[in-house]
Amino acid sequence: MSDNSKSQINPLVDPREIHLIVLTGMSGGGKTVALRALEDLEFYCVDNLPSALVPQLVNAVIEGNSKHRRIAVGVDVRNRGTDFAHMPTVLSDLAAAGVQVHLIFLDCRDEVLIKRYSETRRRHPLATRGLSLADAIVEERRLLRPLMAIAEKVIDSSELNVHQLRRLVATGYAQATEGLTLMFQSFAFRRGLPLDADFVFDARCLPNPHWHPRLRPLSGKDAAVREFLDAEPLVGEYFTDTARWLDAWLPRFEQDDRSYVTISVGCTGGRHRSVYLVEKLAAYYRDRREGVLTFHRELE
């Protein structure tokens, strides 16, 4: 494999245009969440890929002259065809050929992994070998040791919820996308401002669906709430002015080599007006650029 992976790279395409992120780590550590975060950033994602097929996947993308120049693959102990001791050589050969290789290891404390498996009642992938859960975790650490040793980044997810992990991965690897990555998030002012916001827009001046009993249990994602807010001229003006302001100033951040900007929209409860505006702004910018994410703090 190490002799062939370099020669598989098509010389007609600059391999430096390819970003390959390999996600691995402990089962239950959050690899699936991280992979979805990269998928939101327009990465071409493949889960549970044997190490022997990684160079072939990269080569297929290059030979196909695909628009998917950002690839993320999940590699873990579920696949018996993966040689973890050989994987560092595979990645080293790809990097030597010019591919931008990043290896992320998702770790987690043993006691937290045991609790997660107990709560979800899932079986550990190595449990089929007749191992107890604790022994399976020990064996998995042994198998993955060669990858953890060379990881560009080790993320301990022990104290992170799925949304924090998703944002951490998206923020860390937004620079692999083309242009500026935008995170639109909704929040409730009564629970405080988001600490990571670059811009904050206050939607509390807009008509509030909360005061309509039929709409109160819904959110800004629901059709009835969208229809209510769509019919309010003030809401339309607010959206237009916000998008116009962002259109004028976001290019300045791109010129300053920023790779990630968080735009927060708040209302009183964080369920109706802010959610509606975040979804509408995200849809507006997805028609114009790649790398647009959404996060609804009070709905998660």
Side-chain angles (χ1 to χ4, degrees), residues 253-288:
F253 284 84
E254 289 178 304
Q255 293 169 11
D256 199 36
D257 292 329
R258 284 283 293 273
S259 61
Y260 197 90
V261 169
T262 299
I263 299 109
S264 299
V265 182
C267 61
T268 306
R271 292 187 53 84
H272 297 108
R273 294 164 291 182
S274 59
V275 171
Y276 166 88
L277 286 167
V278 159
E279 289 293 322
K280 192 165 183 177
L281 285 166
Y284 172 82
Y285 281 102
R286 284 188 180 120
D287 288 339
R288 290 159 174 78

Side-chain angles (χ1 to χ4, degrees), residues 66-165:
S66 170
K67 67 177 182 179
H68 294 292
R69 297 300 176 91
R70 301 182 300 280
I71 309 166
V73 299
V75 175
D76 57 47
V77 296
R78 289 177 298 165
N79 197 306
R80 300 295 179 83
T82 294
D83 181 354
F84 297 108
H86 187 61
M87 189 69 171
T89 303
V90 172
L91 300 181
S92 177
D93 287 348
L94 288 169
V99 176
Q100 307 299 305
V101 178
H102 315 273
L103 176 61
I104 307 175
F105 191 97
L106 277 300
D107 200 5
C108 186
R109 296 197 305 271
D110 289 3
E111 65 271 20
V112 177
L113 290 173
I114 291 172
K115 181 180 179 182
R116 288 176 181 176
Y117 272 98
S118 175
E119 291 174 345
T120 61
R121 298 185 180 181
R122 292 173 53 210
R123 295 185 66 187
H124 191 280
L126 298 182
T128 56
R129 301 185 184 182
L131 300 173
S132 68
L133 177 56
D135 288 341
I137 291 172
V138 171
E139 175 63 8
E140 184 176 34
R141 287 197 184 282
R142 185 189 69 80
L143 291 172
L144 293 175
R145 195 172 296 131
L147 295 185
M148 187 175 185
I150 64 168
E152 173 182 294
K153 179 180 292 188
V154 176
I155 299 175
D156 187 341
S157 67
S158 302
E159 304 297 331
L160 301 176
N161 62 39
V162 294
H163 311 295
Q164 292 168 328
L165 176 58

Side-chain angles (χ1 to χ4, degrees), residues 185-195 200-204 264-275 278 295-300:
Q185 67 174 334
S186 63
F187 71 96
F189 273 98
R190 67 186 180 192
R191 292 189 57 194
L193 292 173
L195 297 179
V200 175
F201 294 91
D202 187 345
R204 288 177 292 183
S264 299
V265 182
C267 61
T268 306
R271 292 187 53 84
H272 297 108
R273 294 164 291 182
S274 59
V275 171
V278 159
F295 177 68
H296 300 292
R297 193 179 74 178
E298 318 310 340
L299 299 187
E300 306 295 349

